[in-house]
Amino acid sequence: MSNYHIKNLEEYFQVYRKSVRDPKTFWDEIGQEHFIWHRKWDRVLSADFKSASVKWYEGAKLNITENCIDRHLRTKGNQTAIIFEPNDPNENAVHISYNELHERVCKFANVLKSQGIQKGDRVCIYLPMIPELAVAILACARIGAIHSVVFAGFSSTALSTRINDSECKIVITADGSYRGAKTIDLKSIVDDALEDCPSVKSVLVVQRINSKISMKVNRDQWLQPLLDIASPDCPPEIMDAEDPLFILYTSGSTGKPKGMVHTTAGYMVYTAFTFKNAFQYRDKDIYWCTADIGWITGHSYIVYGPLANGATTVLFEGVPSYPDFGRFWQIVDKHKVNQFYTAPTAIRALAKQNLAFAEKCDLSSLKVLGSVGEPINEEAWHWYNDNIGRNNSPIIDTWWQTETGGIMISPIPYVTPTKPTYATLPMPGVQPALMDDNGKELVGNQVEGRLCIKFPWPGMARTIWGNHDRYRETYFSAYENMYFTGDGALRDEVGYYRITGRVDDVIIVSGHNLGTAPIEDAVNEHPAVAESAIVGFPHDIKGSALYGFVSLKETGMGRDHENLKKEINQIITEHVGPIAKLDKIQFTSALPKTRSGKIMRRILRKIACNDVANLGDTSTLLNPEVVEEIKSNSL
Ligand code: PRX
């Protein structure tokens, strides 16, 4: 029996029990399978949740790109590694074989070296969904540089904050990007960001949209001429198991974004293992994840997990609505996609369209449908199951986080019976716990509480870049000896988990994690704004949308409200990015506050959700009268 590929429910329970009884042996055995190690580990795990210190496969030496590329060359050199499907359906798809990927990664790695990039240096990648994005990531990993991919929808301020936090030496970007019918001028966003980034010495620019851009002398260079003269030979840098592989920023409930640090060996083993099992990937299957590589889903399940398995992974540049809402289904049909992985927000948007878009396409290649990023509501689940899976492809509702590196709770298709809106059972090696308000673990079934994980797993982030205290404080201080996820969950009568949503001030909008604090900070920058509070409210397509309660300074009172709203959203776009724009803005004379001066968000949340019948006790408020005003003017 191979632990690597679970085939039926009985085997799942066997493997799961073993993984809990003896996690070290379990992960030791998984690590022994398939991978290339230059040196095996001395110790499979050393961990202490108190100090938030976790090490997997300590002492091992490896390079992840050797495992994702070189390892397959002998048997799969000519097999397609990446299918690039461009934004415009009239532009040809590009098939990149493992041999070609190897050459492109080695050349790119040599270009990075020629720019003075060495092991341990941070490289910021701000690129659209084009092959160069995957190649750049792998090129960094080839030479041991730490990549920090910033989603190319983020604003220049968000980009510069991230570049400065990890002191990146170089930025890799493009002249621009295609997004449906629009183009986005990426290079000028980078130029703005770099006004304020002293660590950046050079910028490499990919030509994608052939627009006229300005190139700063002694800083900016086109990538292609450098690739043309680069050697295709680049031996992999041999890394320690715990050397950082990448930094990826995620929003927190407070303050600046957290640079989650993932390390090499544990992340590789975990993404490879979970990819294989969660998607039941078989040789020659075509796998497609629609996420952007700028998020963890793309890192783990477009690039590393699939390539570590020698899979064929589709990389799609465009959007689901261009040129029409049939685009996803046309791509499934065109490339005969077997495993399809997307987000509930996309499913809800597509479910609103004419069914003919899906019906016109041959979707019979589909074997597995994935969902990730937020809870999938019952209606969307059924639509996906009935119309896309045609009752023939199990839905895997995969719960996990940037911090967890890989899938934590998910059905295994054709193994775990699915249940709408349930992520079902933990992956082997994952030990969830539900905690009550008093910090006690809820045992048994039919309970609801805060979701924690009580034992380390190899894919977990090891720290927050430059701030280990914040890492310990955020994830390991709420409950003793537990990793706290920030999510609520329930366990049903058979032990299936259902994730109920965030229990902190993070709001998930269209599958994107948004902390309210940085958006409020942006709103408060407006000269007419006194203060603001942002909460989530249910939205048909986005899952949640943002509702801002804004109190104005006296100088702002007479201003035209519609204009003010536009200006506020413009500031948010500049500081955070367009994804954080407020759907509703309500101006109020004041915000409800406790006697200690804290904004009572609980009340605002209820008002935003139109749930005003039971606002709870408002008598402890400093200014209870304002609640009436806000209630009667609510949008
Ligand atoms: O609240 C959970 C939600 O997304 C959060 C993690 O967001 P992020 O770090 O951006 O990673 C998203 C992709 C892995 C979680 O804390 N979430 C993610 N997947 C699910 C989910 N909520 C419910 N069901 C899911 N399947």
Side-chain angles (χ1 to χ4, degrees):
M1 178 193 78
S2 160
N3 285 327
Y4 203 63
H5 202 156
I6 293 162
K7 294 177 212 69
N8 55 52
L9 198 57
E10 194 186 328
E11 191 179 319
Y12 163 79
F13 282 117
Q14 260 174 27
V15 172
Y16 186 75
R17 274 194 295 270
K18 176 178 171 181
S19 77
V20 171
R21 212 172 37 237
D22 188 359
K24 292 185 190 173
T25 305
F26 176 76
W27 289 113
D28 190 283
E29 283 174 15
I30 303 284
Q32 304 284 353
E33 294 186 44
H34 306 294
F35 303 104
I36 299 176
W37 302 98
H38 285 261
R39 183 182 187 278
K40 286 273 169 76
W41 46 96
D42 304 313
R43 258 218 292 191
V44 70
L45 170 67
S46 53
D48 170 29
F49 273 0
K50 235 188 203 72
S51 59
S53 150
V54 174
K55 291 181 176 150
W56 283 94
Y57 305 108
E58 213 176 340
K61 300 227 177 259
L62 73 156
N63 183 287
I64 195 168
T65 68
E66 240 185 329
N67 283 283
C68 287
I69 308 172
D70 307 44
R71 186 159 67 88
H72 312 305
L73 295 182
R74 205 172 46 82
T75 51
K76 297 181 174 172
N78 293 322
Q79 184 202 298
T80 301
I82 296 175
I83 300 176
F84 171 57
E85 176 64 36
N87 177 65
D88 179 352
N90 297 317
E91 190 181 328
N92 287 336
V94 181
H95 289 247
I96 302 169
S97 69
Y98 274 94
N99 281 332
E100 287 159 348
L101 184 63
H102 183 259
E103 181 175 327
R104 287 177 72 161
V105 168
C106 288
K107 284 189 165 185
F108 205 135
N110 281 326
V111 170
L112 290 175
K113 280 189 186 168
S114 75
Q115 301 301 304
I117 302 301
Q118 298 174 348
K119 177 177 175 179
D121 287 343
R122 274 80 61 208
V123 173
C124 174
I125 304 176
Y126 187 72
L127 281 173
M129 282 286 284
I130 53 178
E132 286 80 358
L133 173 50
V135 172
I137 283 176
L138 293 162
C140 289
R142 188 78 177 174
I143 62 171
I146 302 168
H147 56 79
S148 169
V149 181
V150 177
F151 170 60
F154 273 122
S155 69
S156 58
T157 316
L159 176 60
S160 69
T161 308
R162 286 158 176 78
I163 291 173
N164 287 333
D165 183 69
S166 48
E167 295 171 295
C168 295
K169 265 196 179 168
I170 188 168
V171 177
I172 302 165
T173 189
D175 53 353
S177 65
Y178 293 118
R179 207 176 155 68
K182 286 193 284 197
T183 55
I184 297 166
D185 189 359
L186 287 189
K187 177 62 166 50
S188 70
I189 298 174
V190 170
D191 289 341
D192 286 349
L194 293 187
E195 295 275 309
D196 193 21
C197 297
S199 60
V200 174
K201 303 292 174 238
S202 51
V203 177
L204 298 178
V205 186
V206 178
Q207 194 166 35
R208 176 60 186 141
I209 65 167
N210 299 320
S211 62
K212 273 221 158 56
I213 56 166
S214 69
M215 297 288 275
K216 188 167 168 179
V217 182
N218 292 332
R219 189 194 70 182
D220 303 349
Q221 295 171 84
W222 290 105
L223 177 68
Q224 193 56 49
L226 300 173
L227 287 173
D228 290 342
I229 54 167
S231 156
D233 182 28
C234 180
E237 182 80 32
I238 304 307
M239 307 296 285
D240 285 338
E242 285 296 339
D243 277 338
L245 173 64
F246 66 85
I247 302 168
L248 186 60
Y249 287 87
T250 185
S251 315
S253 37
T254 54
K256 66 174 190 175
K258 298 173 289 193
M260 305 312 307
V261 177
H262 282 281
T263 59
T264 307
Y267 177 81
M268 174 184 80
V269 171
Y270 196 71
T271 51
F273 174 77
T274 49
F275 175 78
K276 184 88 176 167
N277 283 292
F279 295 99
Q280 292 283 299
Y281 184 87
R282 306 286 161 103
D283 263 354
K284 303 207 165 54
D285 280 351
I286 309 289
Y287 162 88
W288 179 24
C289 166
T290 70
D292 193 291
I293 292 176
W295 310 112
I296 191 70
T297 307
H299 280 58
S300 301
Y301 298 112
I302 295 177
V303 182
Y304 287 115
L307 297 180
N309 281 282
T312 299
T313 174
V314 176
L315 196 161
F316 175 45
E317 183 182 30
V319 294
S321 55
Y322 178 80
D324 60 42
F325 279 99
R327 187 73 161 118
F328 273 8
W329 319 130
Q330 289 147 18
I331 295 173
V332 169
D333 189 346
K334 175 174 174 187
H335 297 297
K336 301 290 169 239
V337 170
N338 302 110
Q339 292 89 2
F340 176 71
Y341 194 25
T342 196
T345 185
I347 299 167
R348 286 189 296 263
L350 294 169
K352 282 199 173 310
Q353 313 306 320
N354 193 327
L355 209 49
F357 283 124
E359 283 168 350
K360 272 194 288 204
C361 297
D362 177 4
L363 304 180
S364 61
S365 55
L366 289 170
K367 297 195 283 191
V368 176
L369 298 178
S371 171
V372 61
E374 59 184 307
I376 177 166
N377 51 305
E378 191 129 9
E379 214 183 328
W381 195 98
H382 284 295
W383 184 86
Y384 199 26
N385 186 58
D386 299 350
N387 299 301
I388 305 306
R390 298 177 182 160
N391 283 309
N392 238 337
S393 306
I395 294 178
I396 55 164
D397 177 1
T398 63
W399 173 83
W400 58 294
Q401 310 178 293
T402 304
E403 294 86 336
T404 69
I407 295 169
M408 299 289 278
I409 304 182
S410 167
I412 293 180
Y414 302 99
V415 169
T416 318
T418 58
K419 176 173 176 183
T421 76
Y422 281 74
T424 75
L425 297 170
M427 295 302 286
V430 173
Q431 300 187 36
L434 297 179
M435 310 300 289
D436 72 10
D437 289 343
N438 304 316
K440 281 211 13 218
E441 183 175 353
L442 296 157
V443 289
N445 289 340
Q446 290 189 293
V447 288
E448 179 165 359
R450 294 175 175 224
L451 178 62
C452 289
I453 311 290
K454 49 182 172 181
F455 197 85
W457 63 101
M460 66 191 293
R462 303 293 196 261
T463 191
I464 291 175
W465 183 262
N467 198 345
H468 193 71
D469 276 351
R470 187 175 179 200
Y471 176 67
R472 190 178 39 72
E473 181 66 32
T474 309
Y475 303 104
F476 299 94
S477 68
Y479 303 99
E480 210 182 327
N481 263 320
M482 298 265 178
Y483 164 84
F484 175 47
T485 64
D487 283 326
L490 60 82
R491 193 162 50 222
D492 78 357
E493 62 288 353
V494 299
Y496 274 15
Y497 288 87
R498 175 186 185 164
I499 312 302
T500 49
R502 300 292 307 183
V503 293
D504 56 12
D505 283 330
V506 171
I507 302 172
I508 303 190
V509 178
S510 299
H512 300 142
N513 256 5
L514 297 173
T516 50
I519 311 175
E520 287 166 5
D521 290 347
V523 176
N524 298 347
E525 293 269 312
H526 192 290
V529 171
E531 58 179 350
S532 61
I534 290 165
V535 298
F537 70 98
H539 185 281
D540 266 10
I541 291 177
K542 301 179 186 183
S544 299
L546 301 178
Y547 192 130
F549 295 91
V550 178
S551 76
L552 296 174
K553 291 180 186 159
E554 229 170 282
T555 48
M557 303 275 191
R559 295 273 319 268
D560 174 73
H561 280 184
E562 288 315 306
N563 275 340
L564 269 181
K565 287 181 187 174
K566 280 193 196 129
E567 288 168 18
I568 287 171
N569 270 330
Q570 183 55 34
I571 293 189
I572 294 175
T573 304
E574 283 157 20
H575 280 65
V576 188
I579 48 177
K581 282 205 267 190
L582 307 180
D583 268 46
K584 293 184 180 177
I585 300 178
Q586 178 178 349
F587 295 105
T588 103
S589 61
L591 298 172
K593 295 215 173 143
T594 63
R595 284 175 202 280
S596 58
K598 274 177 88 173
I599 298 171
M600 270 286 234
R601 285 163 203 281
R602 179 174 58 75
I603 291 176
L604 295 175
R605 250 179 239 130
K606 290 205 160 192
I607 294 175
C609 296
N610 242 327
D611 177 20
V612 290
N614 181 14
L615 287 183
D617 184 12
T618 55
S619 64
T620 58
L621 288 179
L622 195 63
N623 49 354
E625 68 289 348
V626 79
V627 174
E628 284 311 310
E629 176 210 313
I630 296 178
K631 238 166 71 176
S632 55
N633 295 333
S634 73
L635 304 169

